[in-house]
Amino acid sequence: MRVLTQAAARRIALAAQGFADERPSGRLDARHLRRVVDRVAAVQLDSVNVFARAHHMPFASRLGWPAPGIVDRHLNESGELFEYWGHMASCMPVAMQPLFRWKMDQPWPWHRIDRIAVERPGFIERTFDFVAANGPLTIKDLDDVGTRDDGWWRSEGRVVLEWLFAKGRLTAWRRPDFTRVYDVPERRLPAAVLAMPTPEPVEARRALVAIAARSLGVFTLGDAADYWRFTQAETRARLTELERTGDVERVAVHGWRESTWLSVGAAEPRRVRARALLSPFDPLVWYRPRAQRLFGFTYLIEIYVPEAKRVHGYYVLPFLLGEDLVARVDLKADRSAGRLLVRSAWLEPGYDAEHVARELAEVLREAAAGVGAATVVVEDKGDLAGALRRAAG
């Protein structure tokens, strides 16, 4: 069995996620966005917009900040991606839609749906028929067209629409303000995709695990299972099959106790020169045990922690420099005043504060421009704040 050093495993993981790719020097366009999607396979969505939309960040981290609107147009208007429950709510290449049909066909045991079906017979089908006749539409659109008296209650309507979306009977996308828009797949997805045969469930899950393996590069069972939120038993079975077909191989990594696999053909660069802020929902760090194992980086998003108990801040982003996570910053875009606020800045143990601060200050200036802010304001909290304030000028 091949044995990898920790540093080699880290470089393989970074390369698989696109951090070893050379950044474009000119204006970003759809070709560059496709490259990122090809690397990560799933762009997670999240409504928090205190700094920047979560689905904008993987592109900014790997390419630099795209022009306003380009990411939203690519994800929602290009016809190249679709939204579904991949790794949470995610945008994925539309060619992957058949791989999720097994999931759409599951019972989806929602107690509220069961109650609605009993208490309001026919309501679910009337909802679907209404969208089919009047879509695309949002929850608010249902009220605007005067359907409230016909049985549309916003809370029940939302549950039904989400259930129809989970079942694949409706598809959805986002407006720039993150509002979800619903319609029937026939009006939204390419006919060629809808005509693709539906794989057997095991075949589809094996293909998804293979995609996760390519996006991870080197990984444990837990890493691969988390990518599509599969059970570990399911993932292990599919990895065994992928071993037989030569898509993955067993390896060992110094310091890792878990069974580990390598995606056959994964790039193994001798050095990675990355410099990026990472969203809490970036595939590189969204599985926190992997962030700990790869980088020695203990990461907890503290949005749901009471303010008085937060250690690092509300919306904290790791800072990737070279091959290491060297710092973290709590960021807020003060859009009305045109400022990017660094509410706190923290240095990881063992790194030089002045060097990290200089590199981070440059990235923050780029981020400020990316979110439409004119200045970067570094507040006092955190052991890196003083050096960062000096570097930011």
Side-chain angles (χ1 to χ4, degrees):
M1 181 185 295
R2 184 179 174 193
V3 179
L4 300 172
T5 65
Q6 173 84 5
R10 190 182 306 124
R11 289 192 292 270
I12 292 168
L14 287 166
Q17 283 286 304
F19 287 102
D21 297 345
E22 186 175 350
R23 286 195 172 191
S25 57
R27 183 180 177 86
L28 300 179
D29 58 31
R31 295 170 300 165
H32 305 116
L33 303 185
R34 287 188 200 107
R35 187 180 78 187
V36 173
V37 173
D38 181 62
R39 293 290 195 190
V40 303
V43 178
Q44 186 175 339
L45 303 169
D46 189 81
S47 61
V48 176
N49 194 29
V50 64
F51 165 56
R53 293 289 187 194
H55 50 283
H56 295 175
M57 284 297 298
F59 300 97
S61 298
R62 291 159 178 80
L63 302 171
W65 286 85
I70 185 174
V71 170
D72 286 322
R73 287 193 296 272
H74 185 69
L75 295 182
N76 298 299
E77 300 176 17
S78 68
E80 297 184 18
L81 297 104
F82 78 110
E83 180 180 339
Y84 193 63
W85 296 104
H87 181 92
M88 306 300 287
S90 306
C91 285
M92 297 164 287
V94 74
M96 289 173 58
Q97 192 267 355
L99 300 181
F100 286 94
R101 291 177 188 164
W102 64 271
K103 193 170 187 178
M104 299 171 184
D105 289 340
Q106 289 184 134
W108 287 93
W110 291 10
H111 297 305
R112 291 186 68 184
I113 281 291
D114 294 339
R115 179 177 57 78
I116 290 170
V118 171
E119 296 178 359
R120 301 177 63 81
F123 182 65
I124 295 172
E125 291 308 312
R126 290 201 305 273
T127 302
F128 174 79
D129 292 342
F130 189 88
V131 177
N134 298 280
L137 46 77
T138 69
I139 287 286
K140 186 176 184 299
D141 294 329
L142 297 172
D143 290 343
D144 290 344
V145 295
T147 56
R148 187 187 298 274
D149 292 338
D150 296 330
W152 273 103
W153 295 353
R154 184 173 293 192
S155 61
E156 290 189 350
R158 184 183 298 278
V159 171
V160 172
L161 288 177
E162 286 297 299
W163 185 80
L164 290 169
F165 169 71
K167 294 292 291 180
R169 296 183 62 189
L170 296 179
T171 192
W173 65 99
R174 305 287 177 153
R175 291 177 177 168
D177 65 358
F178 207 66
T179 300
R180 186 177 258 170
V181 184
Y182 300 86
D183 205 352
V184 291
E186 291 76 14
R187 283 200 292 260
R188 181 67 182 179
L189 301 181
V193 170
L194 294 176
M196 292 173 67
T198 299
E200 290 296 320
V202 168
E203 178 187 348
R205 292 192 288 267
R206 181 168 57 248
L208 286 169
V209 172
I211 291 169
R214 290 194 294 272
S215 292
L216 291 164
V218 61
F219 55 92
T220 67
L221 178 64
D223 298 340
D226 178 76
Y227 218 82
W228 305 118
R229 299 299 174 95
F230 288 174
T231 67
Q232 292 200 5
E234 171 75 28
T235 305
R236 186 184 294 278
R238 305 291 77 80
L239 284 172
T240 299
E241 295 164 355
L242 291 171
E243 282 185 69
R244 288 199 293 265
T245 57
D247 293 284
V248 301
E249 63 177 300
R250 294 281 190 123
V251 296
V253 177
H254 287 300
W256 292 16
R257 296 180 178 180
E258 300 92 335
S259 298
T260 305
W261 289 261
L262 177 73
S263 178
V264 173
E268 302 183 29
R270 299 179 67 178
R271 186 176 180 183
V272 176
R273 296 180 175 89
R275 191 177 72 171
L277 291 168
L278 303 177
S279 159
F281 309 105
D282 192 289
L284 185 66
V285 295
W286 65 22
Y287 187 50
R288 311 307 190 209
R290 180 171 172 84
Q292 175 67 49
R293 194 183 323 108
L294 277 172
F295 301 102
F297 191 83
T298 302
Y299 189 27
L300 171 68
I301 187 168
E302 297 180 273
I303 290 175
Y304 305 109
V305 176
E307 184 174 3
K309 295 184 178 180
R310 291 177 194 145
V311 176
H312 295 110
Y314 178 79
Y315 197 72
V316 174
L317 287 78
F319 178 45
L320 173 66
L321 184 61
E323 301 168 8
D324 301 295
L325 296 180
V326 299
R328 63 187 86 199
V329 285
D330 181 18
L331 298 183
K332 179 178 180 178
D334 182 358
R335 295 175 175 86
S336 61
R339 304 182 302 169
L340 175 59
L341 304 179
V342 184
R343 311 306 302 268
S344 67
W346 307 86
L347 184 71
E348 289 298 290
Y351 297 100
D352 180 77
E354 298 299 328
H355 172 65
V356 170
R358 286 193 298 271
E359 298 286 343
L360 178 55
E362 182 60 31
V363 171
L364 289 170
R365 283 189 281 269
E366 296 170 359
V371 299
T375 59
V376 177
V377 178
V378 182
E379 300 181 2
D380 293 334
K381 187 174 182 180
D383 58 6
L384 187 60
L388 184 58
R389 188 183 301 109
R390 291 190 296 272

